[in-house]
Structure formats: structure tokens, C-alpha cells
Amino acid sequence: MKNSIYKTIFLLLTFGIFFFLSCSKQLTDIKNQTYTIYNRNNEKGYVVCFDLYNTTIVPKSVVINGIVQNISSANKMGTTYQINVIAQTTLIHSYQVKLEDKENGIYYEKDSKIFFQPVKFKLITD
């Protein structure tokens, strides 16, 4: 009887660990995730960079410090993405910043579904 209880507990713990690891796995592997802050010519914002080697997943937008910026094909150079996230500007008439109450991360599209993956971007200062 004791053996069956120990086996049951062992199986439950093993299943729990497997479930936790499979759920916590990120959607894709992101490398060199950084951002810099800029303030020039009546414009403030961030330049966000990251490397993405998985070509089956398409990044749609990035969230940095509560600001959402769409990602276009012009932002991609090889496996590296570089996105200008405008926080404030007087240069573009009627420009409105898209805000979102999310942590820093990237929205992806895969199989016509949108996913969000939190990303810890590293601030690069000069």
C-alpha cells in the first residue's frame, strides 16, 4: 500500500513539473534584446532591437514601457529587427501614441493567431 502511494505521489510530481516546464516555455527564442532612449529634433522615444531566428513566427508589434509600435518588413534586416518606438513627437501631425497596460514584450502571429511573449529588454546607455 505504501508503495502505491509513493508511486502516485512521484507520478503526480513528475507530471506537475512536466506541465510547468511546458507551459513556461517561451513561444520563440529571442536574442540580443535591447533598447536605447533617444531625444532629438522634438521627438522622444526608444529604438528597440532583437534577433529572431525562427522564420515561421512573424512579430507584429513590440511593447516597450507601455507603448505599442507595429513592426513592418522595413524593420527587418536579416535576422535582426530594429523598431523606432515614438513616445512623443511634434514632427508628425496628429500622431497618437498607442498605449497598453502590458509588460515589455512582443506580439507574434502564428497560424493566424496572435500571441504575446514577455521579453526582458536590456537598456543600453552611452
Side-chain angles (χ1 to χ4, degrees), residues 47-50 74-77 80-84:
V47 177
V48 178
C49 298
F50 61 91
N75 298 122
K76 184 178 179 183
M77 295 162 275
T80 301
Y81 287 84
Q82 182 173 334
I83 304 99
N84 182 31

Side-chain angles (χ1 to χ4, degrees), residues 16 27 53 60 62 66 78 93-94 118:
L27 181 62
Y53 297 101
K60 300 305 266 180
V62 65
H93 183 67
S94 299

Side-chain angles (χ1 to χ4, degrees), residues 22-37:
S22 65
C23 288
S24 65
K25 184 179 179 186
Q26 291 186 344
L27 181 62
T28 188
D29 191 25
I30 300 168
K31 302 285 186 197
N32 304 321
Q33 59 271 25
T34 62
Y35 73 102
T36 57
I37 300 171

Side-chain angles (χ1 to χ4, degrees), residues 3-13:
N3 275 345
S4 67
I5 292 173
Y6 289 128
K7 285 181 183 178
T8 304
I9 291 172
F10 175 77
L11 288 174
L12 287 173
L13 284 173

Side-chain angles (χ1 to χ4, degrees), residues 7-90:
K7 285 181 183 178
T8 304
I9 291 172
F10 175 77
L11 288 174
L12 287 173
L13 284 173
T14 304
F15 178 76
I17 291 170
F18 175 77
F19 181 75
F20 175 76
L21 291 176
S22 65
C23 288
S24 65
K25 184 179 179 186
Q26 291 186 344
L27 181 62
T28 188
D29 191 25
I30 300 168
K31 302 285 186 197
N32 304 321
Q33 59 271 25
T34 62
Y35 73 102
T36 57
I37 300 171
Y38 71 87
N39 183 359
R40 62 180 179 268
N41 299 331
N42 297 322
E43 187 172 284
K44 296 177 183 178
Y46 309 97
V47 177
V48 178
C49 298
F50 61 91
D51 293 335
L52 180 64
Y53 297 101
N54 188 343
T55 58
T56 62
I57 297 175
V58 179
K60 300 305 266 180
S61 58
V62 65
V63 178
I64 190 78
N65 297 332
I67 301 171
V68 181
Q69 181 66 48
N70 291 337
I71 300 173
S72 71
S73 59
N75 298 122
K76 184 178 179 183
M77 295 162 275
T79 59
T80 301
Y81 287 84
Q82 182 173 334
I83 304 99
N84 182 31
V85 180
I86 300 171
Q88 181 180 2
T89 185
T90 58

